[in-house]
Amino acid sequence: MNHQEWKQEFEPFAQARMEQAQVPGGAIGICKDGELVYFGSFGFSDVEKQQPVTPDTIFGIASVTKSFTCMAIMQLQEAGKLSVDDPVVDYLPQFRMPQDQFTRDVTIHHFMTHTPGMPPLPFLTSAMKRSMEKDPAVLETERECVDESVPVVDTYEELMEQIGSFPEEVLGRPGEAFSYNNDVYGLLGAIVERVSGMSFEQYVTEHILLPAGMNRSVFTPEQLAAHRDVAELFTRKTRNGANEVFHAPVLHDAPAMRAAGFLKSSVADLLRYLDIFRTGGMAGETRILSPESVAEMTTPHVKCDACWHYGYGLQIVPDFVGGPLIDHGGSLKGVSSQIFVLPEKGITGVILTNVDGVEVREIAVGALNLVLDRPLETPLFRFADQSLAAEKLADYAGEYTCQEWMEMSVEAKDGVCQMTMDGTTYALRPVGNDLFVFRRRGADIPVLFVRNEAGAVHRVVYAKRQLRKKAQ
């Protein structure tokens, strides 16, 4: 398909979803075999100045950063400076698991796959606290995030101290339980620093960004200030029952967690980067990573939930209809981002927006459907409803929480399970053993309940985090 065909068939689909999500500014880039076949600009990078979005407009990319962090680790492994199977304490002797459980057993691999056994932790907010305290949008809508009970974490050492003193029990032995964890990705940045002898940001810049031709990708607010064509930030709040998007220009930073989600980049730069996964390690004429390391990064090492697997800083659907699908999303204030690669079809894609809360993956799925000659609305996953005896519904009822500002209430009512989060109630449809889905903005979202050794439901996996069930 050429660019004009993409504009005719895909752009109205994407435009409708951007408008539905009230996106002030967004960009989509799709390449086939390394050649740009579609670029779509939506809204403005600066609404007040009516500045259009370009392929070079810099957006936050949030957790898409994680694959860069893992690529740095893989480069250091290729150089013989570490192994992903090494214990973390070989490089971070101050590191302790919560309550010091299984500390010596945690490897770099466990960090990269979110499987050290840690429960969700609250320290991303701690790492951002200094910038959040200067942000009127936070002070108006999330004041609890900046009160005195939230500690300040400025350094890797302070992050390790907070993790080690965290009072909650671990989820299990390293490798047993997946639960998405920003904190350990922050510490991967510390490992890169200790092993390479340079700052994490400098290492990634010198060994990945610049060799790949990513000249508009930066980590720090100071570096960002030196660039033009930077997307203004927006966020959401609920007022009188309605969702409202408003300008929130203060940039959040987290020096101890930049490796977890604080790179800023553009569609053009990220398409250069994604070629590394399409080609087996090459960005243009430059080898960034060996084919073996690319294969290791894109191996489905662990199952996240009912649908997704996780590699190293990348999510994977190994049995996708067009061949293995590699992707990752990101979300922070002012950021909704998505990258995707379908290597067997030669497809790479990037979606960036300057507001949080956008279902960007559903837009990416539409693009993949077009490549695969399927209706654009075809869901990524199909779930067949299953019957569940009404008396079994009580197994799942209860209150579920985690320390990453998430709460879920589940009740059995009128013969169905209902889940309430953030003031909204959804019907849960049973689709498998302890597996349910709910419908949100046109997509089925999985909710997987976890039983203990006695067979009782004691946790739930949602948004790739494990939430604990409160004692009744």
Side-chain angles (χ1 to χ4, degrees):
M1 291 180 60
N2 60 35
H3 178 75
Q4 189 59 37
E5 290 172 319
W6 272 91
K7 286 189 74 68
Q8 289 176 350
E9 297 192 37
F10 173 69
E11 191 161 285
F13 168 89
Q15 180 73 52
R17 278 146 188 79
M18 292 282 190
E19 291 176 355
Q20 182 182 25
Q22 300 173 274
V23 173
I28 301 176
I30 312 287
C31 282
K32 166 69 172 172
D33 298 327
E35 297 294 327
L36 186 69
V37 294
Y38 173 74
F39 175 76
S41 171
F42 304 87
F44 301 96
S45 62
D46 187 322
V47 174
E48 183 178 344
K49 297 179 181 178
Q50 299 282 284
Q51 180 175 319
V53 176
T54 75
D56 293 320
T57 300
I58 300 175
F59 293 82
I61 67 171
S63 285
V64 171
T65 305
K66 289 180 169 67
S67 63
F68 289 83
T69 301
C70 290
M71 189 171 289
I73 293 287
M74 300 309 294
Q75 288 181 335
L76 293 169
Q77 177 171 265
E78 289 181 12
K81 296 183 177 182
L82 57 73
S83 166
V84 297
D85 296 319
D86 290 339
V88 166
V89 292
D90 286 358
Y91 305 96
L92 303 178
Q94 310 98 310
F95 170 72
R96 294 290 181 272
M97 283 284 283
Q99 302 180 4
D100 205 15
Q101 290 179 282
F102 314 123
T103 293
R104 279 292 311 176
D105 298 328
V106 178
T107 66
I108 297 172
H109 167 88
H110 293 134
F111 271 17
M112 295 164 77
T113 56
H114 302 280
T115 58
M118 286 185 196
L121 303 175
F123 303 122
L124 177 59
T125 298
S126 297
M128 294 191 297
K129 186 173 181 180
R130 293 199 188 279
S131 54
M132 293 175 77
E133 287 176 332
K134 302 173 184 177
D135 187 352
V138 171
L139 296 176
E140 179 180 351
T141 61
E142 300 177 74
R143 181 169 289 277
E144 72 277 5
C145 295
V146 295
D147 66 25
E148 293 183 359
S149 67
V150 177
V152 174
V153 169
D154 289 328
T155 66
Y156 296 129
E157 290 72 23
E158 290 171 345
L159 178 57
M160 285 186 275
E161 181 181 352
Q162 291 294 332
I163 291 172
S165 61
F166 193 67
E168 195 167 321
E169 292 183 4
V170 298
L171 300 173
R173 298 191 65 87
E176 287 184 350
F178 177 97
S179 189
Y180 196 87
N181 191 296
N182 286 298
D183 307 78
V184 299
Y185 262 81
L187 294 183
L188 285 172
I191 293 174
V192 171
E193 289 201 0
R194 303 268 174 103
V195 172
S196 70
M198 61 179 70
S199 73
F200 167 76
E201 298 86 351
Q202 182 184 3
Y203 181 90
V204 172
T205 299
E206 293 186 10
H207 290 82
I208 300 174
L209 302 181
L210 295 181
M214 301 176 68
N215 298 315
R216 292 182 59 75
S217 299
V218 300
F219 278 98
T220 70
E222 293 76 19
Q223 291 172 315
L224 188 64
H227 286 274
R228 295 183 177 181
D229 195 7
V230 177
E232 288 283 298
L233 303 182
F234 292 77
T235 192
R236 301 175 186 275
K237 63 182 174 183
T238 300
R239 178 179 291 171
N240 299 324
N243 186 275
E244 178 183 326
V245 170
F246 65 100
H247 189 214
V250 175
L251 185 71
H252 292 175
D253 191 25
M257 289 239 200
R258 286 185 182 144
F262 289 85
L263 185 62
K264 293 85 179 160
S265 191
S266 68
V267 163
D269 273 12
L270 287 172
L271 286 172
R272 295 184 185 99
Y273 172 70
L274 293 181
D275 254 6
I276 297 169
F277 302 105
R278 181 183 66 85
T279 64
M282 302 294 292
E285 300 298 318
T286 303
R287 178 161 292 284
I288 305 297
L289 211 58
S290 72
E292 294 77 16
S293 291
V294 172
E296 198 167 351
M297 283 189 69
T298 57
T299 294
H301 292 293
V302 60
K303 200 161 188 179
C304 308
D305 53 26
C307 304
W308 291 93
H309 291 71
Y310 210 85
Y312 288 159
L314 296 164
Q315 295 184 150
I316 300 147
V317 182
D319 54 355
F320 186 62
V321 65
L325 171 61
I326 301 160
D327 97 334
H328 210 287
S331 180
L332 282 171
K333 191 203 82 167
V335 180
S336 295
S337 61
Q338 188 73 36
I339 58 171
F340 54 97
V341 185
L342 200 57
E344 292 186 10
K345 298 293 184 181
I347 296 296
T348 54
V350 177
I351 305 173
L352 302 177
T353 77
N354 61 353
V355 64
D356 43 276
V358 184
E359 297 285 353
V360 282
R361 175 172 284 128
E362 298 310 311
I363 301 175
V365 171
L368 292 167
N369 286 334
L370 187 58
V371 170
L372 299 169
D373 197 26
R374 305 195 302 179
L376 295 183
E377 302 284 353
T378 304
L380 182 58
F381 303 108
R382 294 185 183 274
F383 299 93
D385 290 353
Q386 295 191 11
S387 60
L388 184 66
E391 62 269 19
K392 294 289 186 181
L393 297 179
D395 287 359
Y396 309 104
E399 304 290 327
Y400 299 81
T401 64
C402 76
Q403 294 295 322
E404 204 175 1
W405 311 97
M406 294 175 67
E407 295 183 354
M408 174 192 295
S409 174
V410 178
E411 64 175 338
K413 187 176 181 181
D414 300 327
V416 299
C417 270
Q418 294 184 346
M419 179 192 78
T420 300
M421 287 195 72
D422 299 325
T424 303
T425 298
Y426 305 91
L428 293 178
R429 294 163 30 219
V431 296
N433 187 28
D434 293 328
L435 175 63
F436 296 74
V437 296
F438 68 94
R439 196 77 171 165
R440 185 179 64 196
R441 292 193 286 272
D444 282 334
I445 312 297
V447 177
L448 178 64
F449 292 89
V450 180
R451 296 180 183 270
N452 59 21
E453 293 180 356
V457 172
H458 70 139
R459 295 200 295 262
V460 64
V461 179
Y462 170 73
K464 299 180 177 63
R465 274 85 168 170
Q466 298 219 16
L467 286 68
R468 297 183 191 272
K469 188 176 185 179
K470 288 184 179 179
Q472 295 178 331

